[in-house]
Amino acid sequence: MGFNFQDIRKDFPILDQRVNKHPWVYFDNAATAQRPKVVLEKIREFSVITNANIHRGTHDHAIRTTEAYENARDIVKEFLHAEAREEIIFTHGTTESINLVARSFCEKFLTTGDEIIVTEMEHHANIVPWQMACERHQATLKVLPFSDKGELRMELLETLITKRTKIIAVAHVSNTLGTVNPIEEIIQIAHSHNIPVLIDGAQSVPHASIDVQKLDCDFYAFSGHKIYGPTGIGILYGKRSLLEVMPPFLGGGEMIDQVTFKKTTYNELPHKFEAGTPHYVGAIALGSAIQYVQNIGLDKIAAYEHQLLNYATNQMKALGDLQIFGESPAKTGVICFKLDQIHPFDLGTLLDQLGIAVRTGRLCADPVMDHYQVTAMTRASFAFYNSEEEIDLFIKALQRIRSMF
Ligand code: PLP
């Protein structure tokens, strides 16, 4: 399959509807993406036709669901170019993946007086779990700032690193600024000090192909629902050498080898980190979502989305008195902005009246709001099923709303 916009659009019938009597324009893709028919069909298949708990039964349906679940793990392994399928852990999403590492890695490696580095542009999901770990272990959280342009101040990274730095956690792509961070460089600097790196890939996997071996990152986390898959499913990639020595995150069924009241021994990877009945339908459907984007080609997706980003940015700038937050040349299709003095909540509500869905608020990134000294932002974010015609509607809507104030 190539990149044919009309064909692609047909895969997403949800987009073909009206909201408030206007054609629906969905520009809230960074919050959650819509799912193509193949993914919805997979969810249906493993709900209506086939259903049984995995890894537990010897009957036909249990074998089918187990095989499909483990096959999805192989799809993710290939997608991330991981070395081994044991390095792919199914979680509920990026948030749980980061919490798993912050809990388990820190229990093993973090002690009083140690330090963790995050950046100023992180989503709360990549701040709060580390803060909680620091509280548990009397450690310190250090923050790498970004410039007003929305780029990490890389010249400061070495000055933050000390002998007590135990892990660095950074977003591959910022959910507010859209900046693609220089993670290769960060990983290289961190590794020269023997510090592992966790990459929050929630906003990058839908837009770029990832090779965790080439990157040499130690952990990589992402969510299914941002890459056209279901909610409630996510991935943690971790290097086997680290996952093996980390204690389990949750206790329960499946993660054990043997249980006695005296002592419990734990299962092998990846099951050690998959306690309880997982969201196997979600995992299977995530596999389909990944195959869907692979069939189109992530390079083609990225190029098309970049075209949308440039088109929208130029038109928005031409409106005048519109501030865009985050202007790095290395950017994905995310535009956070402020139009005149119109409050983002008013703007979002009025755009919705005109059929356009954007995200407004603090975007789970309070430190980014504080950096720019704003209480909230409006965010338009694009996917490959959006079009320049939709951007035209958006620009017209902004002009109309402005004229009302
Ligand atoms: N990290 C980033 C950069 C995000 O954009 C998001 C969600 O918007 C998350 C983490 C959290 O993802 P989830 O809510 O799917 O766990």
Side-chain angles (χ1 to χ4, degrees), residues 241-304:
S241 54
L242 283 168
L243 292 177
E244 247 155 21
V245 295
M246 283 160 50
F249 173 49
L250 299 173
E254 190 58 24
M255 52 74 72
I256 52 88
D257 171 33
Q258 270 188 337
V259 178
T260 66
F261 284 114
K262 213 161 156 212
K263 183 169 172 59
T264 289
T265 52
Y266 303 126
N267 206 340
E268 293 175 342
L269 292 173
H271 310 291
K272 180 172 98 175
F273 289 108
E274 292 182 2
T277 301
H279 183 18
Y280 54 87
V281 180
I284 295 164
L286 171 60
S288 292
I290 288 173
Q291 285 178 326
Y292 178 82
V293 291
Q294 281 178 322
N295 282 341
I296 297 174
L298 272 155
D299 290 349
K300 287 183 194 150
I301 288 175
Y304 178 76

Side-chain angles (χ1 to χ4, degrees), residues 3 5 8 12 228 292-293 296 301 304-305 383-386:
F3 193 89
F5 181 76
I8 282 169
F12 295 86
Y228 315 101
Y292 178 82
V293 291
I296 297 174
I301 288 175
Y304 178 76
E305 288 175 349
F384 59 88
Y385 44 61
N386 292 129

